[in-house]
Amino acid sequence: MARLTVSPDAESGMSLGNPKKKKNNFTRFFGQIDLQLMVIPALILIFVFSYIPMYGVLIAFQDYKIGSGSFLSSPWVGLKHFKAFFDSPDFNVVMRNTIVISFLKLIIGFPAPIILALMLNEVRKIVFKRVVQTITYLPHFMSWVIVGGMVSTMLATDNGSINMLLETLRVIDDPINFLSMSEYFWSILVTTNVWKEIGFGSIVYLAAIAGIDPHMYEAASMDGANRFKQIYLITLPSIMPVVTIFLILAIGNLLSAGFEDILILASNPALRDVSDVIDTYVIRVGINNYRYSYATAVGLFKAVISVGLLTIANYVARRAGNSLW
Amino acid sequence: MSVVRESFGDRCLTVFIYAFLTILAFSTFYPFWNAIVISFNEGMDTTRGGVTFWPREFTLENYSIVFKDERLMNGFVISVLRTIIGTISAILATAIFSYGMSKKELMGRKYYMIMCVFTMYFTGGLIPSFLLIRSLGLMNSFWVFIIPSLIGVWNMIIFRTFFRGLPAGLEESAKIDGCGNWGTLFRIVLPLSGPVVATLSLFTAVAHWNEWFTASIYISKEELLPIQTILKQILASNIVSEQTAGMDSAALARMQQAKTVTSKSLSMATMMVATIPIVMVYPFVQKYFVKGVLVGSLKE
């Protein structure tokens, strides 16, 4: 998550050498050709797989036909596809779902690992702590396919554990087909996300907590602060800088929160009204319905918002980082 | 801590935390355990319900069918191949790239770095990438799993940071002994980079093993599908079959081989097979990932 705080210009200072004894650039370049050969192939790969697609977004302003070979041989149509998206009935549904799902993931998924880290920190039995950590980290390493398979097994109508439990507790009379009912989808999606990432997300906060000076707790308990007060008055304020940075970055990545979970958990088309977000919409209209230009326009719309969010987030994070650390 | 006797409130907090963490650990572990149990239980027996913590009618039938299924085993082999080839080639390529980028004397380094970091902010998106892959002839090719993910900008930054932290004297003495940049990288620097190579390799390998989306849009040839993508198709058809009672022909054909299995018991066995490699590397992952996460998030 913190990847985007890297500054490209931070270390560029001396690389261009002293202008006084500046040799011919060509001679210098070929003098270090072995070094250049280490980076040039990789840069070509980055150019091909990242920059050519950036150039390819121009088809959002064209009527791209499948047959036409290069990106630019199709007729230009201006903002037609953007207007079509804004006017289409899908726009409201897709935007609502994207915003709601992103915010739910942020509001519930962001504090959850912090709370877990605070709780784990209070555990004095090392074995218990290790076991909880080992188990809660595990889902992070499972693919969404596997996680989705487990969720659908848990929620299945034919003897899924959740339905069995609810029936035993007499909460419900008949099994509920959770994964085909739109009113449950957001809850299932967010719960599964938290379930998968809560343990792994807590690592960073545990590390931050480990850096707190233990004398502060001793002093606090001398002064009569109970454990809850110590959490509230020492632990939380001490990890606040890390929390702030991660919150800012999470907001920056708000729209890039991933779509695999939705593709997996909403494989039932009946859920489309609540599950369709920008990313899944692009895949459906673009890859499945061959509306390449339209889908590219939708994707570009999202990319522009994301760049804006990221740039603001990184700017704020760097400012906050300087003032806090 | 022992100066003050535990107050009533503190004890309540302790009880609450232990109870909460126990429930959390249980609810994280139970879905795995239940899937394992179902995969070892007779399929027809599972449909009668009540299979939760322990197999009622223990059988290896589900696994024997999965292991005899050519489509799944082929997917397993594809997954293993892409994980091994993809991880080794990506780590090697990224390490070479990062070593070059870590050198202060590299001409144009500033521009190269801007070129890399910009890709973290803006991407062309799915459709232009899709059209590019298609025009490069990578559709229905094994190399679509390997080549586009060869260079990771984020991994490059981690590698570079690590290389910079190595003592400069080592490289200087290698240079004096006549090592070029390539020789220094392979004989001196990489052998000293064990921890970072291990961390990044494990993460890359796990990502390769778990990745299913690429194949779902770029691969239509059955024999090139990795096991995760096949499993996704099977599971999706199972979810729909809850309503329509329709099942994909492969699952149906497999079911007819033995009457005691069901699509559910087979799915669970397949899921377990697709999880085994992760569970096998998990102890190693655990050893390194705390380091990896911290390198990844706090270093810069």
Side-chain angles (χ1 to χ4, degrees):
Chain A
M1 278 160 89
R3 62 178 66 174
L4 293 162
T5 53
V6 178
S7 144
D9 35 55
E11 79 281 301
S12 57
M14 7 231 299
S15 63
L16 292 177
N18 188 337
K20 261 186 199 167
K21 47 178 182 179
K22 196 174 185 180
K23 276 190 277 175
N24 184 341
N25 272 342
F26 276 109
T27 328
R28 262 186 72 207
F29 186 85
F30 286 105
Q32 54 167 244
I33 191 70
D34 59 331
L35 206 54
Q36 291 288 342
L37 282 178
M38 287 180 153
V39 299
I40 288 172
L43 292 168
I44 292 173
L45 275 175
I46 291 176
F47 179 80
V48 171
F49 289 105
S50 296
Y51 283 85
I52 294 182
M54 286 183 204
Y55 174 66
V57 298
L58 289 176
I59 67 167
F61 307 98
Q62 297 177 327
D63 264 335
Y64 180 81
K65 290 284 172 317
I66 303 167
S68 57
S70 113
F71 284 139
L72 290 183
S73 50
S74 309
W76 293 91
V77 294
L79 296 175
K80 174 181 149 187
H81 299 293
F82 292 89
K83 282 182 191 136
F85 176 52
F86 298 145
D87 292 340
S88 88
D90 299 333
F91 179 77
N92 287 332
V93 176
V94 168
M95 285 315 288
R96 183 201 63 181
N97 292 338
T98 307
I99 292 169
V100 169
I101 289 174
S102 302
F103 271 96
L104 283 177
K105 280 184 183 172
L106 182 74
I107 291 168
I108 298 165
F110 183 77
I114 303 174
I115 295 168
L116 177 62
L118 291 176
M119 285 188 168
L120 281 171
N121 187 50
E122 295 301 313
V123 172
R124 298 278 170 266
K125 294 199 170 62
I126 298 301
V127 178
F128 181 80
K129 190 173 169 180
R130 287 270 160 76
V131 170
V132 173
Q133 284 176 299
T134 305
I135 291 174
T136 53
Y137 295 170
L138 186 61
H140 172 82
F141 296 96
M142 299 288 161
S143 74
W144 267 109
V145 176
I146 305 281
V147 171
M150 285 177 190
V151 171
S152 64
T153 309
M154 286 295 106
L155 297 176
T157 44
D158 58 329
N159 308 307
S161 296
I162 301 286
N163 272 317
M164 287 200 291
L165 178 70
L166 292 178
E167 279 180 293
T168 314
L169 295 176
R170 307 215 175 272
V171 178
I172 52 173
D173 297 327
D174 292 308
I176 298 174
N177 193 351
F178 291 100
L179 277 172
S180 69
M181 293 165 78
S182 36
E183 58 262 51
Y184 295 119
F185 180 70
W186 288 340
S187 322
I188 294 171
L189 185 75
V190 174
T191 310
T192 314
N193 264 288
V194 171
W195 180 84
K196 192 171 187 293
E197 299 299 335
I198 185 171
F200 197 75
S202 70
I203 294 175
V204 150
Y205 301 111
L206 278 173
I209 291 173
I212 300 173
D213 184 356
H215 290 112
M216 293 215 275
Y217 294 106
E218 272 171 39
S221 72
M222 294 276 218
D223 290 344
N226 63 20
R227 297 252 302 277
F228 191 78
K229 269 198 170 149
Q230 291 178 26
I231 295 173
Y232 185 70
L233 294 172
I234 300 175
T235 316
L236 257 185
S238 304
I239 63 170
M240 240 356 172
V242 179
V243 173
T244 313
I245 296 291
F246 273 75
L247 180 64
I248 294 165
L249 293 169
I251 293 168
N253 286 315
L254 199 57
L255 291 186
S256 324
F259 54 87
E260 281 186 50
D261 47 351
I262 295 175
L263 284 183
I264 297 276
L265 291 174
S267 50
N268 190 332
L271 294 175
R272 201 167 281 166
D273 272 350
V274 288
S275 71
D276 229 359
V277 295
I278 293 179
D279 285 316
T280 57
Y281 184 67
V282 167
I283 294 166
R284 200 176 65 247
V285 295
I287 308 279
N288 302 345
N289 300 344
Y290 310 108
R291 294 169 67 192
Y292 295 128
S293 283
Y294 179 73
T296 306
V298 178
L300 182 59
F301 170 69
K302 190 203 106 169
V304 169
I305 299 179
S306 285
V307 171
L309 278 174
L310 268 177
T311 313
I312 296 169
N314 281 321
Y315 176 76
V316 177
R318 212 168 288 156
R319 296 278 308 250
N322 287 342
S323 59
L324 289 168
W325 284 335
Chain B
M1 208 59 68
S2 53
V3 181
V4 181
R5 200 166 38 89
E6 283 238 312
S7 72
F8 177 71
D10 283 355
R11 237 175 286 161
C12 283
L13 187 71
T14 311
V15 170
F16 172 75
I17 285 174
Y18 277 84
F20 183 88
L21 291 179
T22 308
I23 292 169
L24 179 75
F26 174 78
S27 63
T28 310
F29 188 65
Y30 178 74
F32 289 98
W33 184 246
N34 189 235
I36 296 172
V37 167
I38 292 173
S39 75
F40 279 110
N41 199 53
E42 238 176 43
M44 288 316 259
D45 179 64
T46 306
T47 57
R48 292 197 284 117
V51 177
T52 48
F53 294 102
W54 208 250
R56 196 164 44 205
E57 300 282 338
F58 182 84
T59 178
L60 293 173
E61 187 73 34
N62 301 317
Y63 284 95
S64 89
I65 290 174
V66 168
F67 282 117
K68 275 183 209 144
D69 188 308
E70 278 182 27
R71 180 168 168 245
L72 284 172
M73 282 306 103
N74 185 62
F76 194 85
V77 172
I78 293 288
S79 284
V80 169
L81 281 179
R82 76 171 279 191
T83 303
I84 293 174
I85 299 173
T87 306
I88 294 175
S89 59
I91 293 297
L92 198 63
T94 308
I96 294 171
F97 179 41
S98 320
Y99 185 70
M101 293 293 283
S102 75
K103 290 285 157 211
K104 292 225 159 50
E105 68 264 27
L106 180 78
M107 275 178 78
R109 207 172 54 118
K110 185 183 169 189
Y111 304 104
Y112 297 162
M113 198 61 201
I114 292 173
M115 182 176 163
C116 292
V117 172
F118 185 70
T119 63
M120 291 172 149
Y121 282 80
F122 189 77
T123 59
L126 183 75
I127 303 298
S129 301
F130 173 79
L131 297 174
L132 172 76
I133 298 281
R134 209 178 52 175
S135 63
L136 289 175
L138 285 173
M139 295 285 271
N140 279 321
S141 154
F142 177 76
W143 300 107
V144 76
F145 300 132
I146 312 292
I147 297 171
S149 54
L150 216 44
I151 298 293
V153 169
W154 182 231
N155 286 353
M156 181 274 278
I157 291 168
I158 294 175
F159 257 131
R160 199 190 56 152
T161 311
F162 182 85
F163 290 159
R164 289 224 178 121
L166 291 173
L170 281 171
E171 291 184 45
E172 273 163 31
S173 56
K175 292 253 158 70
I176 291 166
D177 290 346
C179 260
N181 281 317
W182 290 80
T184 313
L185 171 63
F186 284 105
R187 292 198 196 142
I188 313 286
V189 173
L190 275 185
L192 287 173
S193 310
V196 70
V197 170
T199 308
L200 295 181
S201 300
L202 280 168
F203 277 92
T204 310
V206 169
H208 261 294
W209 181 267
N210 283 340
E211 211 277 335
W212 59 276
F213 182 69
T214 306
S216 75
I217 60 174
Y218 295 128
I219 304 285
S220 52
K221 271 193 204 158
E222 281 271 293
E223 66 265 29
L224 279 176
L225 289 177
I227 192 162
Q228 301 280 351
T229 313
I230 299 174
L231 183 60
K232 150 87 166 80
Q233 292 171 357
I234 294 174
L235 291 171
S237 66
N238 282 354
I239 292 174
V240 176
S241 77
E242 283 223 326
Q243 291 188 313
T244 61
M247 216 174 286
D248 76 327
S249 54
L252 212 60
R254 265 180 281 126
M255 274 182 64
Q256 282 159 353
Q257 293 169 355
K259 291 206 175 74
T260 54
V261 299
T262 60
S263 65
K264 184 174 179 177
S265 66
L266 284 178
S267 306
M268 291 306 116
T270 314
M271 251 166 66
M272 286 307 122
V273 172
T275 317
I276 289 168
I278 299 286
V279 174
M280 270 165 42
V281 300
Y282 187 59
F284 302 100
V285 175
Q286 262 215 308
K287 186 176 161 199
Y288 285 113
F289 71 40
V290 175
K291 222 177 285 171
V293 170
L294 297 182
V295 165
S297 53
L298 296 178
K299 201 78 186 181
E300 294 212 38

